[in-house]
Amino acid sequence: MKKILFLFLLICSYSQLNAETGYDLWLRYQPIQDQTLLGKYRQQISSMYVDGNSETIRMAREELTNGLSDMLQQKFSSPSAMGSAASLIAARGTSSLLATAGIKELLAQTGEEGFIIISKNLSGKKRIIISGNTDKAILYGVFHFLRLLQTQQSISNLETVSVPKVKLRMLNHWDNLNRTVERGYAGFSLWNWHSLPGYIDPRYKDYARANASIGINGTVLTNVNANATILTKNYLEKVKALADVFRPYGIKVYLTARFSAPIEIGGLKTADPLDEKVRQWWKDKVKEIYQHIPDFGGFVIKANSEGQPGPQDYKRSHSDGANMFAEAVAPFNGIIMWRAFVYSAEKNVDRHKQAYDEFVPLDGAFHKNVMVQVKNGAIDFMPREPFHPLFGAMPKTPLMMEFQVTQEYLGQATNLVYLGPLFKECLDSDTYTSGKGSTVAKVLDGSFNKDQTLTGITGVANIGTDVNWTGHPFAQANWYALGRLAWNHSLSAEKIADEWLRMTYSNHTAFIQTASKLMMESRDIFVQYSNPIGLHHIMGTGHHYGPAPWVNNLNRPDWNPVYYHKADSMGIGFNRTATGSNALVQYHPEARKLWEDMNTCEEKNLLWFHHVPWTFKMRSGRSLWDELCHHYYSGAAKVKEMQQSWANLNPYVDQQRFDQVRSLLNVQYDEAVWWRNACLLYFQTFSKKPIPGQYEKPDKTLDYYKSLRFPFAPGN
Ligand code: GCV
């Protein structure tokens, strides 16, 4: 009886949760409800002191003051008292307050950005010390400490030493100057170029806070399909205004450079990277940028890719192009991130192989301040994709990971898909290039190259003007995961989901268990009802929304879904073995073993590497056709389970956010059925086999699915 009453009271109290828009992201700083814990925290943090006067320290102090005051429901201020009397001290290692703290050795390991959070007896009193070698490190430490409270961790005996595994942790915005966002599904671009620099939207600061809280230290403001106008004086003033807001949060601004800018805005006749006038033009332009933004980070460049101009227009190589920029930014310590996402319409070579063919011969040819930015897979951010063969194949060149946080191919903003497992799957993949255990993550963090000074992970942002920033409320988790993994790629996807859920929704155990499972399974479920068993690139043309495996009429062969699935009367899948395109040869022989034999190939990538007969016996005992049906049907059925799981979480979530996710899960189910029916009806025209009797038959025809049009789908 008591239990029932308790549950009733619990449900009543939760259903009165205040409506939330999601604007606060994971920085909600909710009052701690558990009275015992609250009592402990209040005792352990009776007063705080943040030492220093820089802008960054001011931000750290503001965050800590607000966070503690809200969570512990008592007023904090700093300086709260004499610094040395405070129970929580945040200060640089060099501060006189910490002279006797004995933290020198610890701080010798933390570099410029790492921090420590330790419990220590100091001048006869137990304290919590947040420290680092720079103000930025202290800011990171403060955010981490707040996270401990938000996730209700014990702070009794703290011994945290946290150092980022890679140096550059970034977001790439594919934002256009007219505020549309390429592959953006969360409204318009945050950057209101028209009202900048005069009006500084408070949201810019919240953007910086959110990024700093997860360790992101760089942002590329503009689309890789670049517009040279961003480099004109007017716009540089706008960029400067944003850089000024982000700087205190340790975030540097980067831009994309349009290769043909010297012609378009410089009045030159050529953009040839070996032409002296062109080189000088870029040097002058860079100097001008640094006059506005003294800590400007550098450029990201997409060249000779999907119609973008580049050095090959002048018969020069990618390294010729990259090095011209590298030379221009070098005097200012700037860097160049040169993208490896290239594939040519003229070459009749499997698109999978082209970036490797193009870039491996250039290993060692790039200047020291160039990174080659490589997508996680060789095709294009597919729902499931083997790791890019370039990882580990350019030992003399620092490679930057490019993940896609925006869900271009993973349900855009209508599907709940947590990308933590996708990021981890790639980071943990073994390239074998420096022996067993040469994971992609270790290639990135420079584990195999002691001289490597540049290391980095970036993600294509999923952020826009939607009130909750990301469109789908759960897409916030993907932004969060990108930052957390860039800081520490050895964190598990589960751990990150757990943190995010606690901070964004609730610490209640029943909530966490169900919601975490929902998140952890979501990516596999998406793969099942859209691109199972290694299928890829079978989405709608242009907008990439929904299925369209039948498309075969686009200008370039490798833009057509039929190029990728190769379904025919015999079977389905892309033969990338030695008897086919032999893309497999680009992987280390040990890595290759996972995929090269159709009979032993891991099934999740089977059709990525093999053209497989419809009758092929899968490990389940089913034929390939039946297995395909099984995946499509069980994937869609699992969305129903997701709906049910979410319904059970109603007591723990405010009505507004609950309803939004509930409605989107309904949309997701419809889209899953659409993927399932459209793909199976189409592939059935080749397999000529029935959909097994236990499954309900598609209620629409293939022609119906083919007739669907989405002229105003976002992000296109
Ligand atoms: C910015 C894919 C996307 C394009 C994107 C391109 C890239 O092809 O569909 O929108 O362009 O990747 O990464 O450059």
Side-chain angles (χ1 to χ4, degrees), residues 174 182-183 225 302 306 339 341 375 380 408 544:
W174 285 357
E182 184 156 348
R183 310 309 172 188
N225 290 330
K302 170 175 177 177
E306 301 187 324
R339 292 179 91 227
F341 179 66
K375 290 188 180 184
D380 193 6
E408 176 178 0
H544 297 173

Side-chain angles (χ1 to χ4, degrees), residues 447-557:
S447 293
F448 304 114
N449 182 356
K450 285 199 191 69
D451 302 328
Q452 188 172 332
T453 49
L454 293 177
T455 52
I457 295 181
T458 190
V460 180
N462 61 350
I463 304 162
T465 50
D466 276 11
V467 66
N468 69 4
W469 304 82
T470 56
H472 198 300
F474 272 71
Q476 295 177 357
N478 297 331
W479 176 9
Y480 183 82
L482 188 275
R484 295 289 287 135
L485 283 172
W487 183 276
N488 180 2
H489 56 61
S490 63
L491 288 175
S492 70
E494 286 94 332
K495 157 87 177 128
I496 295 170
D498 181 90
E499 281 178 2
W500 179 79
L501 283 168
R502 287 174 187 278
M503 294 189 285
T504 310
Y505 286 103
S506 162
N507 273 291
H508 203 284
T509 313
F511 171 80
I512 296 294
Q513 276 171 354
T514 303
S516 167
K517 185 165 178 288
L518 184 76
M519 285 175 76
M520 287 305 295
E521 292 176 353
S522 61
R523 184 276 191 126
D524 270 338
I525 293 174
F526 183 84
V527 169
Q528 269 203 302
Y529 64 71
S530 64
N531 292 257
I533 325 181
L535 285 174
H536 52 289
H537 210 291
I538 55 173
M539 67 290 160
T541 299
H543 48 63
H544 297 173
Y545 173 62
W550 46 81
V551 172
N552 62 2
N553 59 355
L554 303 178
N555 285 342
R556 297 175 54 144

